Every structure is written in structure tokens, then in C-alpha cells.
Amino acid sequence: MRKVLVLEDEASIRGFIVINLRRAGYDVIEAETGEQAMESLKEHPDTRVALLDIMLPGIDGFEVCRRIRATNSRIGIIMLTARSQEMDKVTGLMTGADDYVTKPFSPAELTARVDALIRRSGGEDPAQSGEIRQPPFLMNTRNRTLEKNGQRVKLTQVEYSIMRFFMENPGKALSREEILDRVWGRDYFGDVKIVDVNIRRLRLKIEDNVQNPIYITTVWGYGYKWGF
Ligand code: CA
């Protein structure tokens, strides 16, 4: 069953989220504090998605996100932000979150986001197996892994999906919208800026020199291109 962790200290909001996710068929685990969330994830390593509130007593949602990502790159992470403060969102994403939703949100929006994240991380790759070899990069689409010069590059599921889209389209300029559609799905509610944030993070992981990226280049006013 698809397991989701909900970390939210306000009982009424947590209850609202939990009820709606259960109605949508998820197996939901609840946590009131970051510390509790970390414990629960240890007990439930098969959790697919974690919803993390940011403002919490004890360690905050960003710190929880950082700690989860330190050992788990496969789980999907959605931050629950109180206001649409751009900096909060960006900081959250830079610490390893895949997505964010701004309170107040509708049950439909929330379940759509969780569904989309699970779909992307579901290992639902077509049976077509094998490797995409573009030295110094080697992608294994069966294991969903990436190597650069024989060294494993740890990617989140979203980053992997972006990389795969790039490596399937070498030398082709891809618009932000195309990337958003392909990776986040056409039903995604959020902003196209999420593409830029993820690309920035991806560059930190794969470029030799982030100041002067050569693998993922910017196509001004349009999007990005994979090619070198
Ligand atoms: Ca809170």
C-alpha cells in the first residue's frame, strides 16, 4: 500500500490532511514533531512520500528534510508552507524537497501532488531496460541510477526524471514547460519556477564548475539544453 507520512504540529490541519489522504486510499502515518517523524520513518522504511510542515516545535521542517535526505534519496518530500514566501520555498527545495504546497490548500490539490510524486518515483519505467551511455555519464534506467566517471551521483527522483529527459534528448533545447509537463505531469498545479530550482540543484551535483555549466546549458528565455 502507498504509505505517506504527515508531519504537522497543528492537530486540526493534520486531521484534515490525514482524513483526505486516507479517503484517497493512502496508508497514512502521523507525526507531531520532527523527532517523531524521523522515528516513524525508521519504523516504516517503505514510506513513499513525506509531507513536512515547516514551522514546528523542536527541529523545523527544513531540518527534517535535510536529515531525511542525508540517508534517503528515494522518498518524495513535499513541504507545507504557511505563506507563499518565495524564499521559504526555494530554501526548502534546495535542502532536498521535491515540491511544496501553500496553505490553505484543497484536498484535491494535495492528493494530486502526492499522486504525481508517487507516479514519478514509482519505478514505473517501461520494461525497456538498460543503459544510456553519454560519457562521462552513464544512466541505468532499470535501477534509476546515474554515474559520472564511474562514480554514483545521488539524485532525488525528480532530479533523475529531469536527467533522463535530458539524456533522451541530447542537444535539443527543451522548454521549461516541456520539462514541467514531462517530469511533474500535465496536472501539476505549481509554478514553472520549480524547474529552475531543480536544475540549479542538479547542476551542483553534475557540473564540474557550477559557475560555468557545460552539461546543462541555459537557453535564454526558453529553457535548457543537454549537450556538450
Ligand atoms: Ca506548524
Side-chain angles (χ1 to χ4, degrees), residues 141-152:
T141 58
R142 211 173 324 174
N143 306 334
R144 299 171 69 87
T145 56
L146 180 74
E147 284 178 14
K148 181 185 176 188
N149 292 317
Q151 299 275 78
R152 176 80 171 268

Side-chain angles (χ1 to χ4, degrees), residues 8-10 53-57 103:
E8 165 69 68
D9 60 317
E10 279 170 65
D53 183 32
I54 293 170
M55 299 293 287
L56 298 161
K103 298 176 198 171

Side-chain angles (χ1 to χ4, degrees), residues 19-34:
I19 283 175
N20 283 290
L21 288 176
R22 287 201 174 128
R23 226 173 253 157
Y26 289 104
D27 182 5
V28 186
I29 308 160
E30 298 177 52
E32 225 179 303
T33 65

Side-chain angles (χ1 to χ4, degrees), residues 8 30 33 45 47 50 57 64-65 92 96 126 133 139 163 186 211 217:
E8 165 69 68
E30 298 177 52
T33 65
T47 303
V64 176
C65 179
R133 208 177 278 273
M139 174 170 279
M163 276 302 293
R186 284 179 191 281
Q211 306 307 325
T217 51

